[in-house]
Structure formats: C-alpha cells, structure tokens
Amino acid sequence: MTDRKTDRVVSISLSIVIHVAILAALVWGWFRYRQETPTPQSLAIEGTVVRSAPPPAPEPTPPKPVEQPPPPVPPPPQVDQEAERKKAEEQKAVEAAAEQQRQAEKAAVEKAAADKAAADKAAAEKAAAERAEAERRAEETRKAEAARQKAEAEKKAQELAQQKKVQEERAQREADLQKQLAAEEHLNALQSSPAKAEYLSLITARINHAWIRPPSARQGVKCSVHITQVPGGVITHVTVTGCNGDESVRQSVETAAYRASPLPAPSDPALFDPNIDVTFAPDE
C-alpha cells in the first residue's frame, strides 16, 4: 500500500515538471518574439556634396527580424500501459483487500457485539434462573419449616390429647373400680340379706307352681337347678343336676323351669344375676 502511494507521488511530480517546462518554453518564445532586432551601425563617410550629382539612392530597408521558432516541447515520457494496467489491477486488488478487511473488521465488530449481547442475555437469564432457584429453595425451606412446626404442634397436641385420654381412662377405671367395689360390697351385703333369700324363694315358688308331677315321682323329690336368664327374667337355659328322681322327673323339673319364665324381678336390681342356682324341693 505504501509503494502504491509513492508511485502516485512520483507520477504527480513528473506531470508537474512537464507542465512547468512547457510553460517556460512558451514564455521564453513570447519574450523572443517581443524583443526588437538592433539596427546595424553605419560607417561614417566623409565627402563633398555635389549639387549636380543625382539624388542619393534611398537607404535600403533593414530586413525584418526572423521569428525564432519556439523550442521544441519535450515529448511526455512514454507511459508503460502494461505497468499502468498492473498498477490499476494492484490498486483494485489493494482496494478490494482493504474493502474485504473493512468488511471483515465490520463483521468482527458486529460478531463481537452479537456475542456480547448473547453473553449478556445468557448472564441475565442465568442470574434470573439463579434468583428463581434461590426463591424456590427459600419457599421450600419456608414450607418445610412450616410443615415441621405444624407437625410438632400436631404431635404436641396428640401427646396432650393422649395424656388427657390416659388420665381420663385412668380416672374412668378408677371410677369403675370404685363403682365395682361399691357394687360388690352392696351385692355382698345383699347376698346375706333377707332380700336375696326372698328373691330366690320367689323363683323357687314360680318353678314349683309350674311343675307337673310325673307318675314316677316319689315323695321327697329334690333337685339342683341351674338357670341362665337375661334382663327381664327370660330364661334361656336350664340344667337339672343332683336330682333324686328318674329321667322323667328331671325332665319335668326342666320343663317347669321354662314354664316359670319370665322369672320375677328382685326388689333390688343389684340382686339380678344371669346365672342362678336354686334347689327344687316341692315336698318340703
């Protein structure tokens, strides 16, 4: 590129020199044309004028000065067309290379700007993703902490409820035990009281009234009868044991017990017993 600039400077300088030479030649020729040719000096001649002599001949007219032709203009230097063509091609190649370099630099600048924009966008997206991830983790931590606190509160409430339930159950058992003890004491007292004997006497009388003596029954029949009843006195099962009569007597006593259902209620509900043992002795 520097050699090309030097050639241009040389060409311009040579053109200036040629034009200056032509201008100088024209000026010089013009000054030569304007300059007067000096008149030649005539020799002094001494003589005597004779009047009768013929008039002197007229002096010859001095010749006109001959115009000098201007100096020949030196021909312009021969231009090497092939060299000029090569220089033009080189100039085009240099300009094309410069344009290509400029386009490459422009593309590089644009690519750098695009890469920077992409990097900035990626960095912004990464930062946004990191913020979102941090917020998500913080939310998960908050939820986990809330769930832990809730679980602890529920566990504590369950423990308190369990303790309360245990205390209530203990109190209920104690109350039931107290009731059972009181009932047993009351029942024990009733077992030895006239009310118990009266209750069993009513049941025995009901069975005796319902008994139909079979022909094989002899005097002094005595049997042990086990009775199972439900609330209300309804008999569900009868077992006759320890009877001094034959099978027909035992069967008649069992039938009489079923006929006595429902049994009379005791004067005190505490005397009610689902399993009662009575002695069947109708002849006593």
Side-chain angles (χ1 to χ4, degrees):
M1 188 70 182
T2 305
D3 296 339
R4 185 60 182 170
K5 290 182 178 179
T6 303
D7 294 341
R8 292 183 63 185
V9 171
V10 172
S11 299
I12 293 172
S13 301
L14 184 59
S15 177
I16 293 173
V17 170
I18 293 173
H19 284 79
V20 169
I22 295 173
L23 181 61
L26 293 175
V27 171
W28 182 78
W30 183 75
F31 274 106
R32 286 293 303 261
Y33 177 77
R34 295 282 298 176
Q35 185 178 5
E36 294 182 358
T37 303
T39 304
Q41 297 180 356
S42 57
L43 299 175
I45 302 175
E46 295 181 356
T48 302
V49 177
V50 180
R51 294 184 179 274
S52 60
E59 295 180 358
T61 305
K64 296 181 178 179
V66 180
E67 296 181 358
Q68 297 295 331
V73 178
Q78 295 294 328
V79 179
D80 190 350
Q81 295 181 355
E82 183 65 20
E84 288 296 325
R85 184 180 63 79
K86 289 183 178 180
K87 288 181 180 180
E89 290 179 353
E90 291 176 356
Q91 178 66 20
K92 290 182 179 180
V94 171
E95 292 177 353
E99 178 64 19
Q100 185 176 2
Q101 180 67 21
R102 187 181 68 80
Q103 294 294 335
E105 292 176 354
K106 181 180 178 182
V109 171
E110 292 177 352
K111 184 177 183 301
D115 292 342
K116 184 177 182 302
D120 293 343
K121 182 179 179 181
E125 292 178 351
K126 182 179 179 181
E130 291 177 351
R131 287 195 300 272
E133 180 66 16
E135 292 176 357
R136 184 185 66 79
R137 291 181 179 177
E139 181 65 16
E140 289 181 352
T141 302
R142 186 188 65 78
K143 290 182 178 179
E145 181 63 19
R148 185 186 66 80
Q149 293 179 358
K150 182 179 179 181
E152 289 181 354
E154 291 178 351
K155 182 179 179 181
K156 187 175 181 180
Q158 290 178 357
E159 291 177 352
L160 293 175
Q162 185 67 23
Q163 293 177 0
K164 183 178 179 181
K165 182 179 180 180
V166 170
Q167 293 175 356
E168 290 177 351
E169 289 178 351
R170 184 184 296 114
Q172 184 65 36
R173 286 196 301 270
E174 292 177 355
D176 293 342
L177 181 60
Q178 293 295 332
K179 289 180 180 179
Q180 183 178 358
L181 292 174
E184 288 179 357
E185 291 177 357
H186 180 63
L187 182 60
N188 290 333
L190 290 175
Q191 293 294 338
S192 58
S193 66
K196 177 68 174 179
E198 181 182 356
Y199 177 51
L200 294 178
S201 176
L202 291 174
I203 293 175
T204 303
R206 179 73 65 88
I207 295 173
N208 290 339
H209 181 72
W211 182 55
I212 299 174
R213 182 185 290 271
S216 61
R218 53 185 182 172
Q219 192 68 25
V221 174
K222 189 175 183 179
C223 301
S224 297
V225 182
H226 179 79
I227 299 173
T228 302
Q229 64 174 344
V230 295
V234 177
I235 296 175
T236 59
H237 186 70
V238 176
T239 302
V240 178
T241 61
C243 187
N244 58 3
D246 57 10
E247 182 62 27
S248 61
V249 173
R250 288 194 295 272
Q251 186 64 40
S252 65
V253 173
E254 181 179 344
T255 302
Y258 279 113
R259 287 176 180 174
S261 180
L263 299 176
S267 59
D268 191 333
L271 289 174
F272 178 81
D273 191 349
N275 297 296
I276 298 176
D277 292 321
V278 296
T279 300
F280 178 73
D283 297 332
E284 294 181 359

